[in-house]
Amino acid sequence: MVVGLTGGVASGKTTVSEILQEEGAYLIDADMIARQLVEPHSATWYEIRKAFGDDILDENGSLRRKKLAARVFSDPDERKILNQILHPQIRREIQNRLKEIAEKDPRAIVIVDAALLVETGDYREMDKVIVIASSPQEQIERLKQRDGMEEEQARNVLASQMPLEEKRKVADFIICNEGSLEETRKRTREVFRELKKIAPC
């Protein structure tokens, strides 16, 4: 069974995915795949460098992820260019990993953690979809604390994303991540128990 996990930025996807792994799920993290794809001197790195210039690279040639993020979140055209470079390759790698897991463990419950799962339409390929819900103010505070963003930049990031209500429409399960960690853990475990009940034998 393949389960998509998504939500807005800083909504708590990592926390929920870690709990699901503890419960026995496999995890495929789209953001981690993206990080691997853009390692210095890879084919994808060259594409991004050509599209965005050398000022997004640090002295070691690695991407300045925060600088690139600031650009693409404030410019829809640049965001589209970056997604056109990255998304097909991320999608291909996810499919490869799903195939590997299926061969190893046909009864596996695999979580695909992807921020743009709904925007790209890839949610249609999932057996089930989990959406992590968090209030905009909670997300802004997390962005400020986690990424050191200023309030205005954090609001720009949120404004650039699909509204949570649109993601809720395709959700089979919703996990509200605004309370304590224990509350999130309890709800996540409930969802995983439901997934195990409906997973193919």
Side-chain angles (χ1 to χ4, degrees):
M1 173 182 277
V2 183
V3 182
L5 176 68
T6 193
V9 64
S11 59
K13 293 185 297 298
T14 300
T15 299
V16 170
S17 65
E18 287 174 353
I19 296 167
L20 289 167
Q21 277 186 287
E22 290 169 7
E23 294 298 304
Y26 291 79
L27 176 67
I28 298 175
D29 185 334
D31 187 57
M32 190 61 67
I33 291 172
R35 287 173 183 266
Q36 293 165 354
L37 285 170
V38 300
E39 287 179 355
H41 309 295
S42 66
T44 309
W45 178 88
Y46 278 110
E47 281 190 74
I48 292 173
R49 180 184 180 186
K50 183 179 178 181
F52 294 94
D54 287 347
D55 64 328
I56 59 158
L57 305 177
D58 66 17
E59 60 276 7
N60 299 315
S62 297
L63 285 185
R64 297 182 189 270
R65 288 172 59 89
K66 288 184 180 179
K67 187 166 188 175
L68 180 58
R71 279 180 59 173
V72 300
F73 280 125
S74 62
D75 186 329
D77 291 333
E78 289 202 327
R79 188 162 65 250
K80 185 177 180 181
I81 291 168
L82 183 63
N83 285 338
Q84 286 174 339
I85 293 170
L86 281 175
H87 181 66
Q89 298 182 62
I90 293 171
R91 195 170 186 273
R92 194 177 307 118
E93 183 59 27
I94 288 173
Q95 293 302 320
N96 289 340
R97 295 189 187 189
L98 285 172
K99 185 178 178 182
E100 288 173 8
I101 293 169
E103 289 172 353
K104 181 172 64 176
D105 185 357
R107 298 173 62 186
I109 296 175
V110 187
I111 306 299
V112 177
D113 179 346
L116 300 180
L117 190 74
V118 180
E119 291 88 332
T120 59
D122 287 349
Y123 73 93
R124 298 186 186 95
E125 298 181 17
M126 304 292 123
D127 297 310
K128 296 294 177 183
V129 174
I130 301 170
V131 170
I132 313 300
S134 192
S135 71
Q137 194 54 46
E138 189 83 24
Q139 290 172 272
I140 288 168
E141 290 305 315
R142 287 176 187 152
L143 283 171
K144 288 161 67 176
Q145 292 173 19
R146 186 189 74 185
D147 298 343
M149 286 188 183
E150 297 294 330
E151 178 99 11
E152 183 180 358
Q153 186 183 1
R155 290 189 180 279
N156 285 341
V157 170
L158 257 64
S160 74
Q161 297 202 320
M162 176 183 283
L164 179 62
E165 287 309 310
E166 292 301 308
K167 297 189 177 188
R168 281 177 177 267
K169 291 177 183 177
V170 304
D172 296 290
F173 302 97
I174 294 173
I175 296 175
C176 184
N177 185 33
E178 293 181 357
S180 68
L181 176 59
E182 276 313 305
E183 288 172 321
T184 300
R185 189 183 300 278
K186 181 182 177 183
R187 173 59 180 150
T188 303
R189 285 173 170 168
E190 288 173 358
V191 169
F192 191 69
R193 283 196 294 271
E194 289 299 312
L195 291 172
K196 286 201 291 186
K197 286 179 186 176
I198 59 180
C201 296

